[in-house]
Amino acid sequence: MDNKQLLNIAEGMREKSYSPYSGYRVGAALLCADDSVVTGCNVENISYGGTICAERTAFVKAISEGKRHFSKLAISVSGEELGYPCGICLQFLSEFVGAEFEVICGNNKGEYKSYLFSELLPFAFSSKSVNRVEK
């Protein structure tokens, strides 16, 4: 699947967003290694900490369906500027993707730019970062 096709799916997911507080709609489409696509949208909560981003929604759905290998992710936002994953989403994604994972960032005009995950989060905190102490 090419980037524009995946972005079109993410654009469609924007419409399912629940964003009554910010009005900022985000859709995501995650291409899995088996060529299936898992989608997500942002779901806001009046307790802002309870809000979940579209990217994490897609990954949580995929993981809960037993998927563990991913090819690329497209994100489409309702704003005119390109939308990028937030810091929490980047750290969350680092658990499941490698440096070469592709992230396609789009806006409400159909414009987009593709990045390697390592460009968006060059110094991810990972299990390699943790010094385990044995007792």
Side-chain angles (χ1 to χ4, degrees):
M1 176 174 296
D2 71 26
N3 289 356
K4 186 60 179 166
Q5 291 171 312
L6 196 61
L7 187 65
N8 286 341
I9 295 169
E11 288 171 354
M13 288 306 297
R14 278 194 333 232
E15 301 311 310
K16 297 184 179 196
S17 166
Y18 178 75
S19 48
Y21 307 107
S22 72
Y24 190 69
R25 296 168 137 347
V26 183
L30 175 62
L31 180 64
C32 301
D34 64 2
D35 289 329
S36 63
V37 176
V38 179
T39 59
C41 64
N42 60 321
V43 180
E44 293 182 349
N45 190 282
I46 189 64
S47 171
Y48 293 127
T51 294
I52 186 165
C53 300
E55 302 92 308
R56 285 183 286 144
T57 298
F59 269 86
V60 167
K61 284 172 60 178
I63 296 295
S64 70
E65 293 173 7
K67 300 183 185 301
R68 297 291 187 273
H69 304 285
F70 310 103
S71 301
K72 56 186 166 180
L73 173 71
I75 303 159
S76 178
V77 301
S78 60
E80 292 184 7
E81 299 296 321
L82 295 180
Y84 299 90
C86 72
I88 292 171
C89 283
L90 288 171
Q91 183 57 53
F92 186 90
L93 268 63
S94 75
E95 184 77 15
F96 305 104
V97 304
E100 301 298 309
F101 181 76
E102 186 176 9
V103 180
I104 304 140
C105 302
N107 64 9
N108 67 359
K109 299 186 237 177
E111 301 167 334
Y112 65 94
K113 185 169 179 183
S114 176
Y115 297 89
L116 294 178
F117 183 76
S118 60
E119 294 176 283
L120 298 174
L121 187 63
F123 303 105
F125 183 73
S126 71
S127 60
K128 295 175 187 165
S129 306
V130 178
N131 292 324
R132 293 193 170 98
V133 178
E134 292 187 34
K135 294 182 180 185

